[in-house]
C-alpha cells in the first residue's frame, strides 16, 4: 500500500513543482529589471503589497524589494533562508539578485562582510531548480574559490541554504587524499565548489569528466582568481567550459580590467558596486590603527599586544609560512596566557581545517599567512586583526582587515609599518581607507628579544626556524612589486636578526647581489626598472621554491600548493650560506 501512495505523492509534488516553476519563470520574465540599472535606486514595496501573482497576467515588482520573500524564489530556497534566519537583504543582495535571477552576468563589488555569498548561492540554486536539474544532468554549476578554507565555508552555506533542494554538491579541494573516490563521483555532482588546482586536476585526469552542460560559473574573490597566481589554471579551466553560460563574479576589491574580463567572455555584465559612493572602502564599524614600528621592534610589539589582549580573539598576519611557524613555535614556548594557533599553506589539509574550526569556536591568537586573508567568515567574531608585516597592496590590506567587523558587528585592526613604508598612508587615503595614526605606547612595551635569544640557545631546532623566518621576510620584501614602498636595502638587517634571538646575522646571498648590483647601476648612472622578464623569472623561482620545499608538514602531489602559497611563501631554504 505504501508504494503507490509515495508514487502518488511524488507525482503530486512534481506537478506542483512544475506549476511553481512556470509561475517563477513568468514572474521573472515580466518584471525584469532594466539592464544597467541599480535596483537599489527603486523604493521598497509598500507594506502589505501583494507578492507574486497579483492577477492573471500581473506579478509584483521584485526589483528594489527589501526582503528575500518578495523575490521570485522557489519555496525550497525560501525555506532554507528562513531556517538560516535570513529575512532582509543586504545592499549587494538587493542590487544583484534581481539581475542575477534574470540570468545576467554580474560583476559585483561590495565591502568585506556584506553578504556576497548569498548573492551568488541563491541564483545558482534557482537556475538549476528552474531547469529541473537532476542527477543525470551532471555538473550544472561550478563555484571557484582561491583557498580551501573559503571553499569549505561556501560549501557549508550552500548546504545550509540549499538543504531543501535535491541537488548533489561536492567540495573539490587540494590536499585531500580521496581524489580517486572523487573521480568516481564527480560526474554525478550537480554543484562543484572547488579551488582552481583541484578542478583542473579533475578536468585533466577524470575520465569522462563532463561540464559541457554547465549553466552558472561563479568566481568568488574574483580579482584574486583572475590575478597572475592563478592565470594558467584559470585559462585552462575556462577553455573547457561552455561559452553559453551565466557568469557571476564577486569581490570586495573588484577588477574592471577589460583584459581580465575578456578572458571570461562576459555578456553585457551588470557592474554592481554598491559601496562606491561610500566614504570608506572598509566596513563602517571597523576601527583601523596604523603604527610605525621599526623592524627590530616588531616582535616586541606583537608580544606586548598579545599580553595586553588576553581575552580577545586575534588574527595575526605575517608575510611567509616560515615566519608564522617561527613566531608561533617561539611564542608558544613563552606561554603568553592565551591559546596560540597557526595556519599556513604548508600544513596538512585536515589540520588546516581543524585549526580553522577551532579558531571559529574559541578565544585564541591565530598566526597566519594570506591564506586566511580572503573571504573567511569566522562565525564567532574576530576582535582584532593585527598585520605585523605590511601587505603587498591596499587590496590585500582591505581583505585582511575584512576578517573582522563583518555584517553588522564591529572590529578593530592594527598595522605595523616600517618607517620606510610610511608612503602606504597616502595609498590608503587615495583608496578611501580611513586609518588612525597612533604612536606606540612605550610604557606598555614588553621586550621579547632577550627571551627569544635564550629560547634559541635552549632549543636547538628553533634556531634554523629563526634563520628561515629572517630570510623569508627579507626575500618577501625583495620580491614585492611596489618598489616605491618596499626597499630591502633600507632595512636594519643586523638589528632585525638580533631581535629574533639569533646570535649572528645569517648570510643572505640574494641581498649581497642586490647591494652589489645597486652599486654597479649607480656607477653607470642608470636607474632601469626591473625588466618584465626578470620579474617573471622571480615569479617562477617563487613558485618553484614553494613547491620544492620539502618541509615536514608539506604534502607531495599537492596540485594546489603552488597557486595557494604564491604570495605567501617564498622560502629561501636553499641558500647554502645558512
Ligand atoms: P562577504 O562575502 O561579502 O564578505 P559573507 O557572505 O561572508 O560576506 O557574509 C558575512 C556575514 O553576513 C555572514 O555571517 C552571513 O551569514 C551574514 N549575512 C549575509 N547576508 C545576510 C542577510 N541578508 N541577513 C543577515 N545576515 C546575513
Ligand atoms: Mg565572501
Amino acid at each position: 500500500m505504501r508504494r503507490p501512495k509515495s508514487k502518488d505523492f511524488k507525482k503530486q509534488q512534481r506537478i506542483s513543482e512544475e506549476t511553481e516553476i512556470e509561475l517563477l519563470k513568468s514572474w521573472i520574465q515580466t518584471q525584469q529589471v532594466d539592464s544597467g540599472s541599480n535596483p537599489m535606486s527603486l523604493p521598497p514595496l509598500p507594506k502589505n503589497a501583494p507578492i507574486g501573482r497579483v492577477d492573471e497576467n500581473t506579478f509584483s515588482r521584485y526589483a528594489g524589494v527589501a526582503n528575500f520573500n518578495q523575490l521570485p524564489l522557489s519555496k525550497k530556497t525560501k525555506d532554507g533562508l528562513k531556517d538560516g534566519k535570513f529575512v532582509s537583504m543586504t545592499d549587494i543582495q538587493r542590487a544583484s539578485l534581481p539581475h542575477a535571477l534574470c540570468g545576467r552576468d554580474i560583476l559585483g563589488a561590495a565591502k568585506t562582510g556584506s553578504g556576497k555569498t548569498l548573492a551568488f548561492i541563491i541564483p545558482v540554486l534557482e537556475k538549476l531548480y528552474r531547469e529541473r536539474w537532476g542527477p543525470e544532468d551532471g555538473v550544472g554549476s561550478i563555484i571557484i574559490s582561491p583557498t580551501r578554507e573559503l571553499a569549505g565555508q561556501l560549501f557549508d552555506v550552500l548546504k545550509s541554504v540549499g538543504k531543501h533542494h535535491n541537488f548533489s554538491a561536492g567540495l573539490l579541494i587540494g590536499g585531500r587524499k580521496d581524489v580517486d573516490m572523487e573521480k568516481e563521483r564527480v560526474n554525478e555532482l550537480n554543484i562543484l565548489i572547488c579551488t582552481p588546482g583541484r578542478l583542473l586536476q579533475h578536468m585533466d585526469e577524470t575520465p569522462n569528466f563532463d561540464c559541457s552542460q554547465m549553466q552558472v560559473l561563479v568566481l568568488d574573490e574574483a580579482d584574486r582568481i583572475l590575478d597572475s597566481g592563478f592565470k594558467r589554471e584559470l585559462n585552462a579551466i575556462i577553455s573547457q567550459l561552455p561559452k553559453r553560460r551565466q557568469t557571476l563574479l564577486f569581490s570586495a576589491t573588484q577588477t574592471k580590467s577589460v583584459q581580465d574580463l575578456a578572458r571570461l567572455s562576459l555578456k553585457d555584465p551588470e557592474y554592481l558596486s554598491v559601496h562606491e559612493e561610500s566614504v570608506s572602502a572598509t566596513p563602517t564599524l571597523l576601527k583601523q590603527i596604523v603604527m610605525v614600528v621599526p623592524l627590530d621592534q616588531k616582535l616586541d610589539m606583537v608580544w606586548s599586544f598579545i599580553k595586553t589582549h588576553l581575552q580577545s580573539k586575534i588574527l595575526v598576519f605575517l608575510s611567509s609560512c616560515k615566519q608564522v611557524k617561527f613566531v608561533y613555535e617561539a611564542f608558544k614556548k613563552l606561554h603568553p596566557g592565551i591559546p596560540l594557533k597557526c595556519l599556513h599553506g604548508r600544513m596538512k589539509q585536515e589540520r588546516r581545517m581543524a585549526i580553522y574550526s577551532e579558531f571559529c569556536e574559541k578565544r585564541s591568537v591565530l598566526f597566519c599567512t594570506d591564506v586566511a586573508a580572503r573571504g573567511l567568515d569566522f562565525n564567532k567574531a574576530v576582535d582584532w586583526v593585527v598585520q605585523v608585516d605590511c601587505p603587498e597592496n591596499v587590496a590585500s590590506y582591505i581583505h585582511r582587515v575584512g576578517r573582522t567587523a563583518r555584517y553588522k558587528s564591529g572590529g578593530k585592526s592594527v598595522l605595523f609599518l616600517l618607517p620606510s613604508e610610511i608612503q602606504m598612508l597616502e595609498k590608503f587615503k587615495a583608496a578611501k581607507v580611513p586609518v588612525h595614526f597612533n604612536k606606540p605606547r612605550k610604557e606598555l612595551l614588553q621586550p621579547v628579544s632577550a627571551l627569544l635569544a635564550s629560547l634559541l640557545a635552549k632549543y636547538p631546532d628553533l634556531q634554523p626556524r629563526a634563520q628561515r623566518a629572517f630570510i623569508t621576510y627579507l626575500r618577501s620584501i625583495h620580491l614585492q612589486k611596489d618598489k616605491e614602498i618596499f626597499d630591502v636595502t633600507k632595512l636594519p638587517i643586523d638589528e632585525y636578526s638580533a631581535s629574533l634571538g639569533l646570535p649572528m646575522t645569517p648570510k643572505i646571498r640574494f641581498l649581497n647581489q642586490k647591494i652589489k648590483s645597486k652599486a654597479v647601476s649607480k656607477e653607470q648612472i642608470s636607474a632601469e626598472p626591473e625588466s618584465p622578464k626578470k620579474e617573471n623569472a622571480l615569479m617562477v623561482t617563487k613558485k618553484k621554491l614553494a613547491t620544492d620545499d620539502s618541509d615536514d608538514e608539506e604534502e607531495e602531489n599537492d596540485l594546489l600548493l603552488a597557486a595557494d602559497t604564491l604570495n605567501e611563501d617564498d622560502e629561501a631554504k636553499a641558500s647554502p650560506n645558512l
Side-chain angles (χ1 to χ4, degrees):
M1 286 297 286
R2 277 192 135 189
R3 246 190 199 154
K5 206 174 172 188
S6 90
K7 243 186 184 171
D8 266 4
F9 175 75
K10 273 191 180 158
K11 193 173 166 196
Q12 205 49 48
Q13 196 182 18
R14 204 183 62 232
I15 292 169
S16 68
E17 277 181 10
E18 275 167 9
T19 319
E20 185 190 28
I21 288 169
E22 282 315 307
L23 179 132
L24 288 173
K25 283 184 173 167
S26 313
W27 188 1
I28 289 172
Q29 172 69 32
T30 56
Q31 288 293 323
Q32 268 193 43
V33 50
D34 292 340
S35 281
S37 72
N38 185 340
M40 287 280 288
S41 58
L42 295 165
L45 283 186
K47 252 193 181 163
N48 304 326
I51 295 163
R53 195 187 286 279
V54 177
D55 59 42
E56 186 141 4
N57 297 317
T58 326
F59 291 86
S60 61
R61 163 168 68 85
Y62 62 85
V65 296
N67 296 337
F68 288 111
N69 69 5
Q70 297 167 320
L71 289 173
L73 303 179
S74 61
K75 179 163 181 330
K76 289 181 174 183
T77 298
K78 282 187 176 167
D79 286 347
L81 289 166
K82 217 184 282 166
D83 295 345
K85 303 205 165 37
F86 297 113
V87 178
S88 62
M89 286 185 273
T90 65
D91 289 355
I92 184 67
Q93 292 159 359
R94 280 184 70 187
S96 65
L97 281 170
H99 286 292
L101 290 170
C102 299
R104 295 183 184 140
D105 287 353
I106 305 274
L107 233 133
K111 292 181 189 184
T112 52
S114 62
K116 294 186 287 294
T117 315
L118 287 181
F120 58 78
I121 296 276
I122 295 173
V124 164
L125 289 169
E126 288 300 292
K127 173 73 181 169
L128 299 188
Y129 179 72
R130 290 195 313 267
E131 294 294 326
R132 300 197 63 81
W133 212 258
E136 64 290 347
D137 294 313
V139 179
S141 176
I142 296 180
I143 299 174
I144 304 181
S145 143
T147 67
R148 303 167 189 177
E149 284 73 15
L150 179 58
Q153 187 182 295
L154 301 179
F155 192 62
D156 290 341
V157 176
L158 176 72
K159 274 195 302 190
S160 134
V161 176
K163 70 180 176 199
H164 299 288
H165 285 281
N166 301 322
F167 307 125
S168 54
L171 177 64
L172 307 180
I173 55 177
R176 290 173 137 203
K177 297 280 176 267
D178 44 8
V179 66
D180 289 335
M181 204 175 78
E182 268 178 30
K183 282 180 186 171
E184 279 172 27
R185 289 212 49 216
V186 74
N187 275 324
E188 295 159 23
L189 299 173
N190 300 141
I191 303 174
L192 306 180
I193 299 196
C194 21
T195 44
R198 190 61 148 223
L199 174 60
L200 195 56
Q201 184 179 7
H202 280 292
M203 287 179 155
D204 288 346
E205 297 175 9
T206 303
N208 312 324
F209 180 75
D210 180 11
C211 44
S212 60
Q213 299 307 309
M214 192 212 61
Q215 305 286 309
V216 192
L217 171 70
V218 178
L219 306 190
D220 192 15
E221 305 294 338
D223 57 327
R224 174 74 184 94
I225 295 177
L226 287 164
D227 83 16
S228 55
F230 287 115
K231 195 168 188 165
R232 189 187 64 83
E233 280 95 342
L234 192 71
N235 286 349
I237 291 168
I238 297 291
S239 70
Q240 300 189 45
L241 296 178
K243 284 240 155 43
R244 240 180 88 93
R245 59 162 195 259
Q246 182 178 19
T247 307
L248 308 174
L249 311 184
F250 283 89
S251 184
T253 47
Q254 194 55 278
T255 178
K256 272 195 193 175
S257 151
V258 179
Q259 232 185 0
D260 288 344
L261 301 178
R263 286 159 66 203
L264 292 171
S265 35
L266 299 186
K267 294 174 296 296
D268 306 324
E270 299 291 332
Y271 293 93
L272 295 158
S273 181
V274 296
H275 298 124
E276 225 163 33
E277 305 298 311
S278 166
V279 287
S280 71
T282 43
T284 327
L285 296 176
L286 173 66
K287 187 172 179 224
Q288 303 170 70
I289 300 168
V290 170
M291 285 198 238
V292 172
V293 180
L295 184 55
D296 51 311
Q297 284 176 24
K298 274 189 179 180
L299 284 188
D300 293 342
M301 281 301 293
V302 202
W303 178 252
S304 314
F305 187 91
I306 293 172
K307 291 291 283 178
T308 47
H309 293 84
L310 296 177
Q311 297 309 318
S312 305
K313 185 142 131 175
I314 308 168
L315 199 53
V316 179
F317 283 100
L318 291 137
S319 55
S320 74
C321 296
K322 300 294 172 201
Q323 279 172 290
V324 167
K325 275 188 195 172
F326 170 65
V327 178
Y328 163 73
E329 291 290 344
F331 280 17
K332 203 169 61 167
K333 290 188 166 52
L334 296 172
H335 303 288
I338 178 171
L340 305 182
K341 305 183 192 317
C342 71
L343 185 72
H344 55 76
R346 298 294 174 87
M347 292 159 68
K348 283 211 163 50
Q349 190 52 30
E350 296 84 64
R351 252 182 85 199
R352 264 172 76 163
M353 283 295 189
I355 298 271
Y356 164 67
S357 321
E358 281 172 29
F359 184 67
C360 285
E361 292 309 316
K362 289 195 202 114
R363 166 192 66 93
S364 53
V365 179
L366 180 64
F367 295 99
C368 59
T369 57
D370 274 334
V371 77
R374 287 213 179 223
L376 296 183
D377 188 55
F378 300 102
N379 61 3
K380 296 240 170 63
V382 173
D383 301 300
W384 281 95
V385 170
V386 180
Q387 301 189 50
V388 179
D389 299 323
C390 185
E392 61 176 332
N393 51 35
V394 178
S396 168
Y397 172 91
I398 291 175
H399 287 282
R400 287 174 170 190
V401 295
R403 293 321 98 217
T404 184
R406 298 184 65 73
Y407 193 52
K408 287 180 180 166
S409 58
K412 290 179 238 172
S413 70
V414 59
L415 164 69
F416 302 161
L417 281 184
L418 299 180
S420 56
E421 291 164 350
I422 202 81
Q423 271 192 54
M424 199 72 188
L425 292 174
E426 280 162 37
K427 308 215 169 195
F428 287 147
K429 207 168 165 191
K432 297 201 286 190
V433 173
V435 296
H436 300 268
F437 195 71
N438 274 13
K439 278 205 171 126
R441 286 168 58 191
K442 289 251 157 59
E443 70 278 11
L444 294 182
L445 209 64
Q446 303 187 31
V448 75
S449 297
L451 300 177
L452 291 175
S454 44
L455 268 191
L456 259 54
K458 192 170 164 198
Y459 299 97
D461 59 325
L462 259 188
Q463 187 148 330
R465 283 191 191 262
Q467 287 171 334
R468 288 178 203 154
F470 170 84
I471 290 198
T472 55
Y473 174 72
L474 296 181
R475 186 175 281 269
S476 74
I477 298 294
H478 175 60
L479 291 173
Q480 289 286 5
K481 284 206 189 102
D482 192 339
K483 300 294 179 208
E484 247 177 60
I485 296 199
F486 301 102
D487 184 350
V488 75
T489 60
K490 285 194 185 143
L491 304 179
I493 285 168
D494 294 330
E495 290 84 346
Y496 174 50
S497 164
S499 77
L500 300 179
L502 283 167
M504 262 170 40
T505 308
K507 267 195 187 151
I508 322 131
R509 275 228 174 138
F510 70 87
L511 202 57
N512 290 343
Q513 277 163 9
K514 173 115 186 157
I515 290 166
K516 251 190 243 154
S517 65
K518 250 202 155 180
V520 172
S521 64
K522 257 190 199 152
E523 269 165 33
Q524 295 172 341
I525 325 177
S526 85
E528 264 180 58
E530 292 201 62
S531 72
K533 225 178 179 177
K534 202 164 170 190
E535 230 174 77
N536 277 346
L538 281 178
M539 292 299 280
V540 172
T541 329
K542 205 170 165 185
K543 213 160 169 167
K544 195 161 181 337
L545 282 167
T547 29
D548 279 356
D549 183 2
S550 55
D551 199 74
D552 45 351
E553 289 176 323
E554 209 212 33
E555 302 168 275
E556 279 166 17
N557 298 329
D558 186 347
L559 281 187
L560 204 73
L561 199 59
D564 233 16
T565 49
L566 203 76
N567 292 332
E568 78 173 33
D569 201 312
D570 31 62
E571 175 49 0
K573 191 174 163 184
S575 172
N577 284 342
L578 270 181

